[in-house]
Amino acid sequence: MPFKTAGRGEESESTDSDHRRKRRKMGQKSVSSGPAAAAPANSNSFAARMMAKMGYVEGQGLGADGRGRLAPIETQLRPQGAGLGTVKEKTQQAKDEEKREAAFRGEVLEDSEEEEKERRRKLKEKRRSGVKNGAGTPVGKPKVKYRTVVEIEAAADGLQVPRVLKSIIDATGTETKVLTSTAGLMTSQSVMVPSETEATKIARRARRDLEAFADEWNGLAERKKYFEMEEAQLVQELDEEDQTSRDIQGLVSTIQELQGLLVNPSNPETPTSAWEEITLKLETMEYGLHEGIDKASLQEIAVASIHPLFKGAMQDWEPLQNPSNIVSWIERLRGILGIKSEPSSHEVALQNESHQWRSSSKSTTHYETMIYSLWLPPVRSAITNDWDVQDPTPLITLLQTWRPVLPLFVLSTLIDQLVVRRLSDALVAWKPRTSHKRHRHTQPPHVWLFPWLQYLDDHHTDPRSTTGLLADVKRKFKTVLATWDLTAEIPPGLDSWRSVLHSELSSLLTRHLLPRLALHLSENLLIDPSDQDLDPLTQALRWSPFFASSTVAHLLAAEFFPKWHQTLHLWLTSSPNYDEIREWFLWWKDQLNILSPKINDLPIVSAEWTRGLETISLALDLGPAAASQLPPPPAGPAPPLAASSTPLAASSRSPATHAIPAPPITFRDVVEDWCTEQGFLMMPLREADQQTGLPLFRITASASGRGGVVVYLQGDVLWARGSAGGGAEAKDFAPVGLDEGLATRVEGR
C-alpha cells in the first residue's frame, strides 16, 4: 500500500513537472516573439473587406486623418509566477505608436529608459565629486575660533576678571586663547596628544567657567535693560492715568454744575443768561481737559447740556422773522459739539459736498441728530407755509446765518427738497403773457430766482440741461416768443436772462421770434411819403438789442429796403421834386439810426443807401426820360436772414452769407405751448372726428388723462366739443380761442 501510494505520488509529481516545463517554454517563446512574429493580416477576411469599404487603406493609421494605430494591440505574457516589473510590460509596438503620435504633434518623445540612465549617471558623477551642497562648492572643515581674556571682558560690559584668574587662564603663554566653538573637537587626529598636566587642566576648567559666567553676565545685563524700560513705561502710564483720573473728576464736577444750572437757573426768565452760563462752563471744560478724554463723550455731554435750551428756543421760534436766534452760542461751541467746517472750495456745489459728507461718515453725530430733529421741522414749516417765493431775502438770510453750523446733509436736504420745489411750483404758475397785466405786484422770475442760483446744483443752473429750473424757464420763453403780441412792449426782465441763459436765449430768439418779426414787417409796414406810419418798424426794431447788428441789418435788407426802393422808383418816375426826395432820403436815414443806433454803418445797410443814391443820380441823368427809361428795382426773393447770430457778440461777428432756415411753427406747436404754460396735457385720442376726419385730442388738467375738453385742429382754428354753456360732453364742435374761457372749461370750473 505504501508502495502504491508512492508510485502514484511520483507519477503525479512527474506529470505536474512536465506541465510546468511546457508552460515555461510557451512563456519563453511568447516573450521571445516580437512584432515580426505576428501573422500578417488576411486581406480577404470579412473584417478587412468591411474596413476597406469604410475607407481604410492598408499601411496607414486608423481615423479620418490617418493618425490612429497602424497594427492591432499586441499582448505580452509574463513568465509563470513572475510579478509586475519582472519584464518590460510595454511592447516595442506601443513605443513606436507613442513616438509616431508625438511626431504628429510636433514633439520629440524621449524613451523613459534613456532618461533613467541619464539621471543615474549624473547622480553617480555627483557622488564621485564629493559635492555636499546645492551650489556646487565643496564644504571644508570648520575652523576653531578662540578668544582671549581681554576679548571676553570687552564683550561682557561691566565684567572684571581678577588677575589671578587671568594668570591661570593664560598660564601657557601671553597668547593663550579660550575655545569659543566646539567645531572640530570630534575630528579624528592621527597624532597622539601628550598627557595633560594638572596646570593645563585647571586652566581649561577656568576658561570654561569664565565663558559660562560671561554668558550669564550678558543675559543679566539684557534683562536689566528690559526691566528698566518696562519700569519707565509703567511710570508714564501711571502718570497718564492720574491725569485722566483728575480730568474725569473735573468733568464730573462740571457735569454736576451743568445739571444744577439746568434745574435751578440763576435767572429763569431770561434764557440768554442760561445760554451764557452753560456756554462758559462748556468752554472751560473743552480747553481745560487732557487729550486722553474721549472727544465723542465730550460731544455727547455738550449736546445733552444744551438740548433743553435748544428745544425751548425752537418751540416759539419764527425762522424768517428772527433768523439769528442762538446762532452765536452754537458758533462758540462748534469745537466741543464736533461741527465740521465747510470746505471753501465747495461752497457752491452743495450736492457734491453732501456726497463727500456721506462717504466720510457712516452715522450722524449727536449734534447732527439734534439739528435734524429740532431745527429742521420749524424751518420746513416756515418754508412751506410762510415763505413768499417772490421775496427770497428772509430765507437766504436764514440760511447764510446758520450755514456755518449746519450739517451739510441738512443744508442739502433743505435746498433740494424744499426750496427747489417751491421755486419749481412758482415757475409753473408763472404766466409771462398775462402775469404783468393781472398782478401788478408780481415780480418777474429773474428777481426771485437769480439769488438762488449760487446754492443750486449744476443741472438747475446749466442752461443746456434738459431738466431743472432753467429748463422750465426756457420752455416758458419758447411759448412766450412764439405767441407774444409784437405790438406790445418787450416782456419785462428778458434782458436780465442774458447773463444766465447765454447762447440758449439767442437760440430761442432766433428760432421763435425772428421769423415773426420778418412777417410783421412784411404784412404791416407801408412806405408812404405823404403819411408815414413808423409803428411796425418801431415795434420790430425794439427787439434789436437782443440780436446781432448783422442780423438786424439782414432783417431790414429783407423786409424794409425792397419796399423803400419800390416807393423811391415810383416817386422818381412821377414828376419828382428832388428836394423833397433828398429830405425824404435823409429823414429815413435819421429814423433808422434813432431806432437802431449805428445801423447805418453796417455794410449791408450802407450798400442799400448807396443803391438808392445811384437810382436818384440815374434819374437826374435821364431827366424827363426817367419816367419811361428808369429801370425798376430788381424783383425776386428778398435777401435771406442770418439765423446764426447771437446777441452777446454782435460786434465781433461778420454778417452771415447763407441763410439757415428757421423751423416752421405750426398751430399745433402754439396750442401745445399754451397747454404747457397753463399746466395742461394735450393727449391724442387715436380717433378722428366723424365729419372732418381730423384727429381728436384731449386737453386736460388731470395727470390721469381724464376729463378736460376734446378738440381738433383745422388750419389755425381750434374746435372744441361743446360750447361754454353746454358742457364738455356735448357732441357739437365749436371754434374757441386760447383764453381764460378754455382754461376754465379744461379745469372743470
Side-chain angles (χ1 to χ4, degrees), residues 48 79 150 172 187 193 203 247 290 297 309 317 368 385 391 394 449 466 508 584 638 640 674:
V150 177
T172 58
T187 306
V193 180
D247 291 340
H290 189 257
S297 301
L309 297 178
W317 181 42
E368 292 169 347
N385 303 321
D391 185 14
L449 182 60
T466 57
L508 290 173
W584 181 73
W674 179 84

Side-chain angles (χ1 to χ4, degrees), residues 39-49 58:
N42 187 5
S43 60
N44 295 324
S45 64
F46 173 77
R49 293 196 305 271
E58 188 175 358

Side-chain angles (χ1 to χ4, degrees), residues 680-698:
F680 300 152
L681 297 177
M682 183 175 176
M683 306 170 57
L685 295 180
R686 297 184 180 180
E687 57 179 299
D689 180 45
Q690 296 180 356
Q691 296 181 358
T692 61
L694 296 174
L696 297 178
F697 300 88
R698 182 184 296 277

Side-chain angles (χ1 to χ4, degrees), residues 303-517:
V303 172
S305 301
I306 67 172
H307 188 276
L309 297 178
F310 193 92
K311 183 177 181 180
M314 294 295 107
Q315 288 179 353
D316 300 329
W317 181 42
E318 295 181 356
L320 300 179
Q321 284 72 28
N322 185 18
S324 59
N325 185 24
I326 70 174
V327 178
S328 58
W329 290 294
I330 301 296
E331 278 277 7
R332 291 169 58 181
L333 298 175
R334 63 179 303 121
I336 195 172
L337 292 175
I339 302 174
K340 300 177 182 179
S341 300
E342 185 179 2
S344 59
S345 59
H346 300 286
E347 290 183 352
V348 179
L350 296 178
Q351 188 67 23
N352 294 339
E353 292 173 347
S354 176
H355 175 72
Q356 293 177 358
W357 178 88
R358 293 189 185 96
S359 62
S360 61
S361 179
K362 295 182 179 180
S363 60
T364 59
T365 62
H366 299 285
Y367 172 75
E368 292 169 347
T369 303
M370 182 181 67
I371 291 293
Y372 187 83
S373 59
L374 298 180
W375 182 88
L376 188 58
V379 175
R380 181 189 292 114
S381 177
I383 295 175
T384 305
N385 303 321
D386 304 332
W387 177 49
D388 184 7
V389 179
Q390 298 186 9
D391 185 14
T393 304
L395 185 55
I396 291 179
T397 303
L398 173 67
L399 296 182
Q400 288 290 356
T401 304
W402 282 85
R403 186 170 184 172
V405 297
L406 281 182
L408 295 178
F409 79 96
V410 173
L411 185 59
S412 178
T413 302
L414 191 69
I415 292 178
D416 292 342
Q417 298 183 7
L418 299 176
V419 176
V420 171
R421 185 177 61 184
R422 290 294 311 274
L423 293 175
S424 179
D425 294 341
L427 283 177
V428 172
W430 174 50
K431 296 178 174 54
R433 292 190 302 164
T434 58
S435 60
H436 66 284
K437 297 180 181 179
R438 293 183 298 176
H439 307 284
R440 296 294 180 182
H441 64 282
T442 303
Q443 297 289 344
H446 69 276
V447 175
W448 44 266
L449 182 60
F450 283 6
W452 290 105
L453 295 181
Q454 58 179 325
Y455 302 98
L456 301 180
D457 197 11
D458 291 340
H459 79 279
H460 288 297
T461 59
D462 186 4
R464 295 171 296 180
S465 176
T466 57
T467 59
L469 297 177
L470 289 188
D472 297 339
V473 172
K474 287 192 300 181
R475 284 190 287 268
K476 290 286 184 178
F477 278 136
K478 176 184 175 182
T479 304
V480 169
L481 296 176
T483 59
W484 188 260
D485 184 7
L486 297 180
T487 61
E489 295 292 332
I490 296 176
L494 181 62
D495 186 66
S496 302
W497 290 94
R498 286 187 180 184
S499 59
V500 177
L501 295 179
H502 303 296
S503 59
E504 293 296 320
L505 179 59
S506 174
S507 177
L508 290 173
L509 291 168
T510 304
R511 294 176 56 189
H512 301 285
L513 181 64
L514 188 58
R516 298 188 63 225
L517 294 178

Side-chain angles (χ1 to χ4, degrees), residues 33 75 86 92 136 191 241 344 419 511 518 523 669 697 724:
S33 62
T75 59
T86 304
Q92 185 63 32
V191 181
E241 291 292 338
S344 59
V419 176
R511 294 176 56 189
E523 294 179 350
D669 295 335
F697 300 88

Side-chain angles (χ1 to χ4, degrees), residues 647-658:
L648 300 178
S651 60
S652 62
R653 297 195 177 187
S654 59
T657 56
H658 299 284

